Amino acid sequence: MTMVSEVKPGLKNLVARDSWRRHDGDMDMDCMGLDCWWQNSPSMTTTEEKGSRSIVGDGPASPKYSDRLSPAINNYLSEASRQEPHRTPENYLWQRVNSQLGSPSQPYSLREALAQAQSSRIGTSAQALRESLHPILRQKLELWEENLCAAVSLQVLEITEKFSTNAAAHGIATDYGKLDCITSIFTSFFSRNQPLTFWKALFPVFNNIFNSHGSTLMSRENDRFLKQIAFHLLRLAVYRNDNIRRRAVVGLQILVRSSFCYFMQTTRLRVMLTITLSELMSDVQVTHMKPDGNLEESGEAWRLRKSLEEMADEQKSPSLLRECSLPEAALVSISENAVGSQWSWPEVKHLVDSLILALDASLEHALLAPVMNINRYAAAESFYKLAVAFAPVPDLHIMWLLHLCDAHQEMQSWAEAAQCAVAVAGVVMQALVSRNDGVWSKEHVAALRKICPMVNSEITSEASAAEVEGYGASKLTVDSAVKYLQLANKLFSQAELYHFCASILELVIQVYKSRRAYGQLAKCHTMLTGIYESILEQESSPIPFTDATYYRVGFYGEKFGKLDKKEYVYREPRDVRLGDIMEKLSHIYESRMDGNHRLHIIQDSRQVKGDELQPGVCYLQITAVDPVMEDEDLGSRRERIFSLSTGSVRARVFDRFLFDTPFTKNGKTQGGLEDQWKRRTVLQTEGSFPALVNRLLVKKSESMEFSPVENAIGMIETRTAALRNELEEPRSSEGDQLPRLQSLQRILQGSVAVQVNSGVLSVCTAFLSGEPATRLRSQELQQLIAALLEFMAVCKRAIRVHFRLIGEEDQEFHTQLVNGFQSLTAELSHYIPAILSEL
């Protein structure tokens, strides 16, 4: 057997399969891409052809390179070229040969066919020569070449290990630098398909080389190598063949062990694995179509998740190591150059959870693809989950945040889009502060976090860990942060949340001050002037400013999937009414119903009981809710009509919401004043609005009940507070301290005019006369009388102020107010005689 020196590419690449195949064939019987050591190598001919010209073309005969191989490999190649081995598990390569090869009708041997083709000079290229062969002989030729390539790969692996051992022991004089000679070989091994026998031989060598040269292989100079190896290990972790898949798990554990030994933590490896997982997701088909036309998780995604879980499974680890011919202590062994063994299963679990979070986010995004244009809420949440999952890598984190920002702008959700821009600016600012090369400090990042809680207030060095080839914090600059801050300012202006604009511009001004960019400073201060004027206008408006409406939405029904029995608070534009959001959500979820399910909307706010729900019906309960001010007394009996009018517009970050539900003890919703109870429900959300998404999950719900008399007292206290607010709230424009006359007139007319004062009188009739009065406790009776007296006292004071403000044209209206007040006082004196002396 001899070697011929010149072989054209067509024959050398007979079985090249450099790209990873999508299907999941049995890898035990799949001889994959073994041209990696066949390229730039001589082709093998038979003994009879020794010294003759090449099977492809003319050329000088080569030396007997095969003599340099070990005897075992020499014998293996010789046998492979001369006979068809028995079909045993070890001779898996030959199992692919068609059974017709052993039939009596088989053509003459491959050796004879090649010799005849050479002698007759059939074809001028390897491809032409191949096509001249009988199909059965072509298959046998391919199989023979695969055996040859597998043998050469195993031989190269053996040589690589010997080189590594001698280099580590300084037994050879070589300047191996980054170990390019080893890293390039391993990259080629992993990037091409290989048979199972090769993978069985590879991982013990892989482990030994990382033990000997871990400090060099794990260094930043070898980032490209590590990134490629991490990618290919994750790729192997998807294979259907468990033997290969489990070896990939052990390979990942070896990388984790090396990260512990040389970096004392896994932050950098987590970044690298997150990057490679993101790249792998573009190749993996994470979903497939079910018979009913819906999408579901594919086997590839399921196997990848299973591999990642096994990677962090402390109980299965010893058996995996034994299966890969590694000692059980391989993960905690310490090499001579290692800093120390810091293996921590909890930290490995944290690493794996981070990768599974990214996998699940990618899967959910793929599953939502068919309905993404219909259900914009779910689409926005999908982008948000991707942004969170890939947060360890600033480039990927920013990419998904910007996708989310675009999605919100399409929905005209300006506040949510602005939050995305703030989050991007926060990522950049954190990186700059951690590197101490920006104009901002930790205090500026903390200020940004008050606007967007997603911005991490803790400055860490993880940004530097994300410096991987093609990705990294080096692209995060002050100018990019300013760009996104300006975008956030523009979007918050569209949402009319001017206080946020003022805070953001202060951060931009800090940059221009450091650069002495006076022209830009002038523009910023001009913008600030307009912003503060808008804030002043909002605060001085007689109509309380509302930037949004909020609705609680409950999901009940198995067809909702993960949403079943969950409640969310939705933030909608301020012009969206209850009927609008009912119509919008009905359109979204009716498309998910089938012949066995229908959608029903619960239009009241009562508590939903499971035994009242019908099978086959999916329920949506939609209720308008009010945001709760930070310092608001939730136990107050007052109605919330004017609850936000007394609050400053500076407080526009809400994470608590409430709604009141009337009920009676006899089960009816409405009743007389003496029977009407009220249930106040307070909801706590995960996070605060405005958020990066349009809806937030309700994580806590509490209820309190008010008795009928407490309801009555609350109604009177609400009217009293509204009047007092008009008397005490000054007009801010032009230094005018006069109360708001028009608003005062409206409230006075609703309080003391004869035709509308039945509200107060009906309270007296219900609770201060006859049998109902005997049911009141002494404390309740005193509180009710005190509330009525205070209400009448504030009305009297308001009428006096009204008289000082009006002109001739309002004299008649004022007279009506006075008459109404006197009439109301006379009526109340029948129930509270002391009211005459008090007023």
Side-chain angles (χ1 to χ4, degrees), residues 90 422 522 572 588 747:
E90 292 301 320
V422 172
E572 294 291 324
I588 291 174
I747 297 176

Side-chain angles (χ1 to χ4, degrees), residues 16-20 32-40 149 152-154 156-157 160 179-195 198-199 202 206 224-226 228-230 232 235-236 239:
R17 302 185 187 95
D18 290 347
S19 60
W20 177 37
M32 306 172 294
L34 297 171
D35 60 310
C36 53
W37 305 116
W38 190 224
Q39 295 182 9
N40 301 320
C149 293
V152 173
S153 295
L154 290 169
V156 173
L157 180 63
T160 303
L179 284 176
D180 289 341
C181 47
I182 292 179
T183 58
S184 60
I185 290 173
F186 268 89
T187 301
S188 296
F189 279 146
F190 278 102
S191 61
R192 289 167 170 78
N193 297 324
Q194 305 284 3
F198 176 80
W199 294 121
L202 174 67
F206 183 76
R224 174 177 292 188
F225 163 72
L226 285 175
Q228 290 176 330
I229 292 300
H232 291 301
R235 175 178 65 88
L236 292 175
Y239 278 10

Side-chain angles (χ1 to χ4, degrees), residues 76 85-96 147 197:
Y76 178 85
H86 297 294
R87 297 192 180 193
T88 65
E90 292 301 320
N91 294 323
Y92 55 92
L93 295 176
W94 293 97
Q95 295 179 16
R96 294 181 59 206
N147 277 272
T197 298

Side-chain angles (χ1 to χ4, degrees), residues 6-279:
E6 182 181 354
V7 181
K8 294 186 178 180
L11 188 59
K12 291 188 290 184
N13 294 319
L14 296 177
V15 290
R17 302 185 187 95
D18 290 347
S19 60
W20 177 37
R21 298 174 309 164
R22 287 281 181 90
H23 65 81
D24 300 306
D26 187 351
M27 304 306 297
D28 283 338
M29 300 178 61
D30 196 0
C31 201
M32 306 172 294
L34 297 171
D35 60 310
C36 53
W37 305 116
W38 190 224
Q39 295 182 9
N40 301 320
S41 301
S43 178
M44 188 168 284
T45 62
T46 62
T47 305
E48 291 85 342
E49 296 159 0
K50 186 181 300 182
S52 66
R53 60 183 175 269
S54 166
I55 63 174
V56 180
D58 295 332
S62 67
K64 295 183 179 180
Y65 290 109
S66 59
D67 293 341
R68 302 180 184 181
L69 301 176
S70 69
I73 294 296
N74 236 332
N75 180 66
Y76 178 85
L77 297 177
S78 178
E79 291 299 319
S81 66
R82 283 172 170 74
Q83 64 183 12
E84 180 179 336
H86 297 294
R87 297 192 180 193
T88 65
E90 292 301 320
N91 294 323
Y92 55 92
L93 295 176
W94 293 97
Q95 295 179 16
R96 294 181 59 206
V97 179
N98 193 297
S99 60
Q100 295 179 3
L101 286 176
S103 66
S105 61
Q106 173 186 337
Y108 48 80
S109 70
L110 175 61
R111 182 185 303 106
E112 294 172 353
L114 291 174
Q116 180 179 345
Q118 285 180 305
S119 61
S120 60
R121 294 180 178 272
I122 295 177
T124 58
S125 66
Q127 185 62 31
L129 172 61
R130 179 176 297 280
E131 292 176 355
S132 70
L133 296 176
H134 188 279
I136 296 178
L137 294 179
R138 284 203 301 269
Q139 187 179 12
K140 192 169 184 178
L141 174 62
E142 177 181 347
L143 188 60
W144 181 85
E145 289 168 336
E146 290 177 349
N147 277 272
L148 171 63
C149 293
V152 173
S153 295
L154 290 169
Q155 181 68 18
V156 173
L157 180 63
E158 179 184 348
I159 296 171
T160 303
E161 184 178 28
K162 291 180 178 179
F163 172 82
S164 169
T165 302
N166 283 277
H170 303 288
I172 55 175
T174 178
D175 179 17
Y176 55 87
K178 297 187 300 180
L179 284 176
D180 289 341
C181 47
I182 292 179
T183 58
S184 60
I185 290 173
F186 268 89
T187 301
S188 296
F189 279 146
F190 278 102
S191 61
R192 289 167 170 78
N193 297 324
Q194 305 284 3
L196 176 59
T197 298
F198 176 80
W199 294 121
K200 287 181 177 180
L202 174 67
F203 282 96
V205 177
F206 183 76
N207 177 62
N208 292 337
I209 288 179
F210 267 87
N211 266 339
S212 301
H213 304 282
S215 59
T216 301
L217 296 176
M218 297 296 293
S219 65
R220 287 184 178 271
E221 288 74 16
N222 272 319
D223 269 354
R224 174 177 292 188
F225 163 72
L226 285 175
K227 184 167 169 288
Q228 290 176 330
I229 292 300
F231 175 85
H232 291 301
L233 286 173
L234 288 174
R235 175 178 65 88
L236 292 175
V238 180
Y239 278 10
R240 180 178 296 173
N241 185 282
D242 279 345
N243 288 310
I244 294 178
R245 189 184 57 76
R246 287 195 292 267
R247 281 167 170 78
V249 172
V250 171
L252 290 168
Q253 288 179 328
I254 291 172
L255 290 184
V256 174
R257 180 204 62 195
S258 301
S259 182
F260 277 132
C261 289
Y262 300 102
F263 295 112
M264 307 298 288
Q265 39 80 22
T266 60
T267 300
R268 183 162 177 73
L269 182 62
R270 179 162 63 100
V271 169
M272 197 165 293
L273 288 173
T274 303
I275 292 172
T276 54
L277 181 64
S278 173
E279 294 174 349

Side-chain angles (χ1 to χ4, degrees), residues 525-541:
H525 284 289
T526 301
M527 293 175 65
L528 270 178
T529 301
I531 286 171
Y532 286 129
E533 288 176 350
S534 299
I535 293 174
L536 185 63
E537 182 180 350
Q538 286 179 350
E539 292 189 340
S540 61
S541 172

